[in-house]
Amino acid sequence: MPNWNSAIKKIDINNVASVNVKHHSELFISEVEPIMKLNVRGKSRDFLSMIGKILNIILPTEANTSTTNEHITALWLSPDEWLLFKNNVTNRGTEETIIEENLYKNISQKKLGSVTNVSDQFVMINIQGQNLYELLSSGCPFNFNDFKNKKGAVSQTLLNHTDVIIYNEEINKINLFVRRSFSAHLWSWMNDSARFI
Amino acid sequence: MFLINCPYCGERDQSEFSAGGEAHIVRPKQPTELSDNQWAEFLFMRKNIKGVQFERWNHSHGCRKWFNMVRDTSNDKIHAVYKMGEKPPIK
Ligand SMILES: [Zn+2]
């Protein structure tokens, strides 16, 4: 496995051990790592069917939704853009390379669309607990009323002025994707805010 | 704060969007045949109306798509939202 460094682990000066996992009274926040993430873009019917053939998944075309199979989840980002990620923490070295190369050969090289590996660009943070949406709403303009009861819902919005992708995995359990360079800051903000809810 | 109805994502807070200036300005077909004044007119001059204005907006912190909006600049009332390339739904 290649060298892999958490963007979050090294920044907590108060708690050296396992600092990318945090327990609060009604909240559990943890970094999910390492996990494969791919950004795919394309418009054509051939693009959609090729992705389906390779990954055995139908990319969602309805806004703010997702699709999932036993290995992978696809999040709708825009009418021609999706974020794919593995459902489980994997050995990124071999498995990731095989999937990425397969997609690159059949999508990028055939000019059906584009495939970008964003595993190291995005940090995935899992948040669970009853007060989860109170935490998000303390720094986010998005209306979570419908979102929180809709399993599989996806939203791109701002959290504490930072771009995030939020995926409703289960009731009171979300996965949040944030750009790596913003992740340490957002992590501190979330854990600080969690003290007040 | 007000809400904008992104034609792709639905209703979102204004803070997720960026304004992109006046809409429906057509690039001259033959820029080389224009005088400097005519070119400057295309490049820089904008109406900046007080009242109903046709504008381009970008859902920069959401789907990152551009779209058009008819907005009253005096009270931020949004009369219509429509996709790029589409004709304005009102006059
Ligand atoms: Zn949008």
Side-chain angles (χ1 to χ4, degrees):
Chain A
M1 196 172 149
N3 286 336
W4 190 88
N5 294 309
S6 165
I8 284 164
K9 217 172 233 168
K10 56 183 174 288
I11 57 116
D12 195 319
I13 46 167
N14 302 315
N15 187 355
V16 181
S18 65
V19 292
N20 56 351
V21 178
K22 282 275 192 179
H23 293 266
H24 300 276
S25 57
E26 293 290 341
L27 275 173
F28 177 71
I29 310 176
S30 62
E31 183 188 1
V32 185
E33 43 84 12
I35 208 134
M36 185 197 86
K37 307 162 204 100
L38 292 171
N39 180 292
V40 292
R41 285 164 174 251
K43 282 178 183 163
S44 65
R45 197 173 261 264
D46 288 347
F47 164 80
L48 292 168
S49 64
M50 185 59 85
I51 294 267
K53 215 168 95 185
I54 296 168
L55 298 173
N56 200 19
I57 196 166
I58 298 165
L59 293 179
T61 47
E62 191 190 330
N64 311 315
T65 63
S66 61
T67 50
T68 187
N69 67 21
E70 59 198 303
H71 303 297
I72 216 159
T73 300
L75 310 184
W76 182 96
L77 299 182
S78 135
D80 54 7
E81 185 180 6
W82 293 266
L83 181 71
L84 305 171
F85 67 94
K86 289 283 279 182
N87 296 340
N88 296 305
V89 172
T90 49
N91 181 340
R92 278 184 46 197
T94 45
E95 205 181 342
E96 184 169 321
T97 313
I98 293 167
I99 297 172
E100 190 190 344
E101 277 181 2
N102 197 357
L103 285 170
Y104 182 76
K105 260 190 213 130
N106 290 292
I107 304 274
S108 304
Q109 288 192 337
K110 289 182 181 167
K111 300 203 175 354
L112 292 178
S114 74
V115 178
T116 311
N117 187 326
V118 290
S119 297
D120 293 311
Q121 189 198 341
F122 279 105
V123 170
M124 179 168 158
I125 297 170
N126 185 272
I127 314 175
Q128 301 179 44
Q130 290 190 350
N131 293 339
L132 139 68
Y133 291 101
E134 283 173 46
L135 172 71
L136 297 183
S137 295
S138 64
C140 178
F142 184 73
N143 180 352
F144 286 104
N145 284 354
D146 293 330
F147 182 96
K148 63 178 155 197
N149 298 316
K150 199 178 160 205
K151 195 182 157 195
V154 179
S155 177
Q156 291 180 95
T157 184
L158 291 164
L159 181 57
N160 189 34
H161 309 283
T162 307
D163 281 280
V164 288
I165 303 165
I166 304 171
Y167 165 60
N168 184 347
E169 189 184 345
E170 280 169 37
I171 301 300
N172 291 334
K173 182 180 181 187
I174 61 146
N175 284 313
L176 182 146
F177 297 86
V178 57
R179 287 189 181 82
R180 188 182 172 91
S181 55
F182 288 87
S183 62
H185 169 69
L186 194 71
W187 177 263
S188 321
W189 177 84
M190 283 195 297
N191 287 294
D192 185 45
S193 301
R195 296 183 298 134
F196 303 103
I197 56 163
Chain B
M1 271 200 354
F2 59 93
L3 297 173
I4 295 173
N5 193 10
C6 169
Y8 303 99
C9 308
E11 218 162 58
R12 298 296 187 86
D13 186 76
Q14 164 222 348
S15 57
E16 290 183 14
F17 297 83
S18 330
E22 193 179 333
H24 306 302
I25 293 173
V26 181
R27 189 176 200 272
K29 288 239 161 57
Q30 293 292 343
T32 47
E33 291 171 10
L34 297 181
S35 68
D36 283 354
N37 277 347
Q38 285 170 316
W39 182 242
E41 184 72 26
F42 158 73
L43 219 49
F44 304 116
M45 302 314 275
R46 298 294 181 264
K47 290 198 191 95
N48 199 20
I49 299 161
K50 183 185 179 186
V52 176
Q53 179 163 275
F54 294 78
E55 298 172 327
R56 297 180 303 179
W57 282 73
N58 181 254
H59 192 189
S60 42
H61 301 291
C63 63
R64 294 179 292 284
K65 288 283 173 201
W66 285 91
F67 58 95
N68 296 307
M69 189 195 290
V70 188
R71 182 177 68 103
D72 191 323
T73 56
S74 65
N75 58 13
D76 278 335
K77 189 170 181 236
I78 297 164
H79 294 282
V81 164
Y82 52 105
K83 291 176 184 171
M84 278 293 160
E86 290 180 358
K87 289 245 151 44
I90 52 177
K91 83 102 226 146

